[in-house]
Amino acid sequence: MAKRVQGVRGMNDVLPAEGHRWAFFEDTVMQWVRSYGYQAIRMPILERTELFVRSIGEVTDIVEKEMYTFTDELNGEQLTMRPEGTASCVRAAVEHNLLYSGPQRLWYWGPMFRHERPQKGRYRQFHQVGVEALGFAGPDIDAEHIMMCARLWRALGLDGIRLELNSLGSADARAAYRSRLVAYLEQHAPELDDDARRRMHSNPLRVLDSKNPALQDVIAAAPRLADDLDEASASAFAALQGSLRAAGIPFSINPRLVRGLDYYNGTVFEWITDRLGAQGTVCAGGRYDGLIGQIGGNPAPACGFAMGIERLLALMAERGAGIPQPVPDVYLVRQGDAALPWGETVAEILRDAGLATVLHCGGGSFKSQMKKADASGARYAVIIGDDEAQARLVSVKPLRAGPEQAQAKVPPQAACELIKSR
Ligand code: ATP
Ligand code: MG
């Protein structure tokens, strides 16, 4: 036997036993975005590396060590498999002048790629749903986004996801804060790790985002950005909090919430669960008012968020959300030369009537076919032998326990009505 080719580490298959959970999630998301008037956008997986360097920022975990970047051998271009969706979405909107016709409410989903150490809730290919509102200054749209999230958690049957908020202020406010923070970090340099010491001058806010447990005390005692907040950011942040209180959405303010991407400013937020261990952030987002201008568009305010689908599905599984595996309505059993083509015709008639129908393929005795019908979970077997095929009729046998009787030799339309009436 030939040696098996293995999948790539950190890139998972979703097997059929899990497929219906993904389908339930995707159906729920589709209805949810429609109910808020968001339009779908799809971007390619490959982008020029420059896009992410310019938007996410050079001195960030993602750009420094997590991107799948390579040179296209055919034309020498530097390309990257997208690590997230916001930069691509904004690039597409700018490239196609979407904002020309007014502000845009957009959403997308798909695989993202980050070269991280694989562990529970952290993969190298993972999936996000992203929502972006381009051309909206807020804070009303920020409130919309958070209320959207709260509604989705309800629709997915999830509770206990807590909301943390912070404001990163304007670029000027952050510059003032930055010098206070650098002075503090310099004082504590011996307690920092290599990453933090290196970033202390190039990107000090990132130090606050460190996941190293040894740094958490230094981080907790660091000066707070809230004390340097500019007037506009402070009042937008207060207005958002007012909306959330009115909507009955609990939140807490986490002054150390800075997000791992450079493009954020003003309000940022994360939704966190304690039930998934260290990988507890299921959704994160905020304002990125500078990004559209930064990648060459006419400057316009914007905000958005992205959620990790694997983490949300893990949380749903942990909560015991029973999502029934879909079963066919009918398993069609057929034997004999004439039954083969008549079976195909009948299966299409059943599907025309809206009945999910699995057509038995591969022959075999009636007995073995009936076993497969049973194992399929179908509610009914539709049976075609020589007699049925010659008379252009079918027989119907209920497969689940109940008072229903089998029906011998009825026209396909009558079978449809019978099955649909149950
Ligand atoms: P983390 O702090 O867990 O590394 P992040 O801040 O890097 O997350 P974002 O870039 O904000 O994550 O992405 C939004 C969401 O996508 C995260 O909250 C998380 O749910 C999910 N996510 C991010 N990276 C991964 C990954 N490697 N595997 C699975 N899900 C991920
Ligand atoms: Mg990360």
Side-chain angles (χ1 to χ4, degrees):
M1 231 197 301
K3 188 168 178 285
R4 285 192 193 163
V5 179
Q6 305 276 320
V8 177
R9 184 164 134 83
M11 306 205 176
N12 300 320
D13 302 304
V14 176
L15 300 177
E18 282 298 306
H20 69 293
R21 292 180 175 278
W22 283 73
F24 170 82
F25 181 86
E26 288 163 0
D27 289 347
T28 308
V29 164
M30 290 282 209
Q31 286 177 27
W32 168 69
V33 284
R34 197 176 312 124
S35 73
Y36 284 84
Y38 282 69
Q39 289 186 295
I41 183 168
R42 294 178 192 222
M43 300 80 64
I45 283 166
L46 289 180
E47 295 276 0
R48 289 170 202 279
T49 305
E50 182 197 358
L51 173 69
F52 302 115
V53 175
R54 255 157 76 178
S55 57
I56 296 170
E58 219 148 349
V59 193
T60 56
D61 277 351
I62 294 179
V63 171
E64 279 185 335
K65 48 192 184 198
E66 295 175 358
M67 295 204 307
Y68 282 89
T69 293
F70 60 95
T71 307
D72 182 339
E73 305 273 334
L74 299 177
N75 59 11
E77 277 179 344
Q78 275 284 306
L79 302 178
T80 293
M81 293 172 76
R82 61 181 187 197
E84 56 108 47
T86 302
S88 309
C89 178
V90 170
R91 195 258 322 131
V94 168
E95 190 166 333
H96 303 287
N97 286 316
L98 296 188
L99 282 150
Y100 186 76
S101 49
Q104 301 284 315
R105 285 181 162 94
L106 304 172
W107 78 279
Y108 51 82
W109 63 26
M112 307 294 163
F113 302 85
R114 296 186 193 178
H115 203 284
E116 304 200 67
R117 191 171 69 76
Q119 53 197 292
K120 184 169 171 275
R122 194 175 292 287
Y123 311 104
R124 290 181 175 171
Q125 173 173 323
F126 62 99
H127 296 77
Q128 286 183 338
V129 173
V131 168
E132 317 286 353
L134 309 182
F136 292 89
D140 47 3
I141 192 88
D142 304 75
E144 173 171 300
H145 281 178
I146 288 172
M147 287 166 70
M148 267 179 100
C149 294
R151 176 177 292 275
L152 183 61
W153 311 151
R154 284 198 302 276
L156 294 172
L158 296 176
D159 54 15
I161 308 181
R162 64 172 197 277
L163 172 64
E164 293 191 354
L165 302 178
N166 193 22
S167 175
L168 301 180
S170 66
D172 287 350
R174 266 205 311 289
Y177 171 67
R178 189 190 151 104
S179 36
R180 284 210 297 140
L181 181 61
V182 173
Y184 170 85
L185 293 173
E186 278 171 344
Q187 261 171 24
H188 291 83
E191 297 150 66
L192 301 180
D193 60 12
D194 288 347
D195 250 2
R197 266 193 295 276
R198 199 166 40 79
R199 287 176 178 182
M200 175 163 81
H201 295 283
S202 55
N203 196 345
L205 263 73
R206 283 287 78 75
V207 177
L208 302 181
D209 198 34
S210 167
K211 300 217 164 54
N212 183 349
L215 263 58
Q216 298 311 312
D217 287 348
V218 183
I219 292 172
R224 292 173 174 221
L225 206 151
D227 304 330
D228 282 308
L229 221 53
D230 53 296
E231 187 50 46
S233 301
S235 72
F237 197 39
L240 171 67
Q241 292 173 46
S243 297
L244 296 181
R245 278 191 205 98
I249 298 177
F251 59 88
S252 64
I253 294 180
N254 175 359
R256 249 122 356 232
L257 183 66
V258 293
R259 310 286 305 107
L261 305 87
D262 274 358
Y263 50 64
Y264 286 109
N265 69 283
T267 298
V268 291
F269 63 87
E270 289 193 358
W271 290 90
I272 303 162
T273 172
D274 296 324
R275 298 199 182 95
L276 295 178
Q279 271 58 252
T281 303
V282 293
C283 176
R287 297 225 124 248
Y288 48 88
D289 294 324
L291 183 58
I292 297 176
Q294 212 174 308
I295 64 176
N298 290 329
C303 61
F305 59 93
M307 62 191 90
I309 301 181
E310 284 83 356
R311 291 186 193 178
L312 285 167
L313 289 175
L315 187 56
M316 286 165 68
E318 200 271 346
R319 300 303 287 147
I323 297 151
Q325 183 104 20
V327 291
D329 298 305
V330 175
Y331 193 98
L332 195 148
V333 162
R334 52 180 173 161
Q335 204 190 38
D337 287 345
L340 287 180
W342 178 231
E344 279 146 19
T345 306
V346 170
E348 289 301 321
I349 293 171
L350 293 164
R351 292 175 190 130
D352 284 344
L355 295 169
T357 302
V358 174
L359 176 60
H360 181 84
C361 290
S365 67
F366 266 127
K367 198 172 162 212
S368 74
Q369 292 192 35
M370 284 306 288
K371 266 193 190 152
K372 293 209 166 80
D374 224 17
S376 76
R379 294 190 296 127
Y380 290 86
V382 166
I383 301 163
I384 300 176
D386 287 331
D387 289 356
E388 283 92 350
Q390 245 117 54
R392 316 282 284 172
L393 298 173
V394 303
S395 294
V396 180
K397 181 170 186 258
L399 294 174
R400 305 293 142 218
E404 300 162 58
Q405 299 291 310
Q407 301 272 329
K409 304 199 179 98
V410 295
Q413 281 310 337
C416 291
E417 270 147 42
L418 175 90
I419 295 169
K420 284 177 80 173
S421 71
R422 299 292 159 75

